[in-house]
Amino acid sequence: MLRHRRFAATAAALTLGAVATAVFGFVAPASAHVTVNPREATQGGYGRLAFRVPNESDAASTTKLEIFLPENAPVGSVSTMPVPGWTVAVEKRQVDPPVQVHGSEITEVVSKITWTAGEGAAIAPGTFQEFPISMGPLPEVDQMIFKALQTYSDGAVVRWIDEPQPGGEEPAAPAPVLTLAAADADTPTTAPADSAAAAPDDSDDEDGNGLAVGLGVAGLLAGLGGLVLGGLAFTRTRRSSEATPGGESTTTS
């Protein structure tokens, strides 16, 4: 009976492992491409985006990432965030007509961003890295397609440049896609600095939260004090009862 149970448990474990391998074996490759996150933003606004780069090789590391901004959707302001161990190079191009940014005309926009790994900073097998940027105002288009090139330490280059096909399956090497929704009438489209300046003052909320926390702590201490006093009273009563059974005096004449 024991041998039968062990055999059944082993068979169940092997079956579960086979199912997991089958499931994850088909799912993993489809989700291991370069993506932009978040994948949705608002037209006319500013966004903080990050290009997520997983390493698909079992033996080589990712040493370079090249991101091409779409030519049909120029953006007036693009800035990068430092990534430890990586250097960044920005290429620009001329645009005509100019891009309007808060009443100013911008005739030169970013066309390509290249991140290159320094010593010891490459993306190792089984890991990923994110490369953040800030950009805006986002153009009034339905989507932005960022074609990407991923270079490995063994010289291999993966071209993530396939554009999405309406109603079709995901291509073999899809390019990162940012979907843009039309801005609502109440949606602010100011630059990040303006948004920060216009942010509501939370000092009143912080004071109120501090008062609530203080009252809560005071109530907790009072409750603990009551428990301690109640325990002492119970102990005294019990001792008194044990000393005088029945609660009557044992004094003799």
Side-chain angles (χ1 to χ4, degrees), residues 126-141:
T127 65
F128 73 94
Q129 177 67 53
E130 289 189 337
F131 301 87
I133 66 171
S134 175
M135 61 188 305
L138 297 175
E140 295 182 358
V141 295

Side-chain angles (χ1 to χ4, degrees), residues 64-66 68 147-151 157-161:
K64 184 167 67 173
L65 172 68
E66 299 168 80
F68 297 83
K147 296 186 178 183
L149 301 182
Q150 181 179 7
T151 302
V157 178
V158 181
R159 301 169 59 85
W160 303 103
I161 62 174

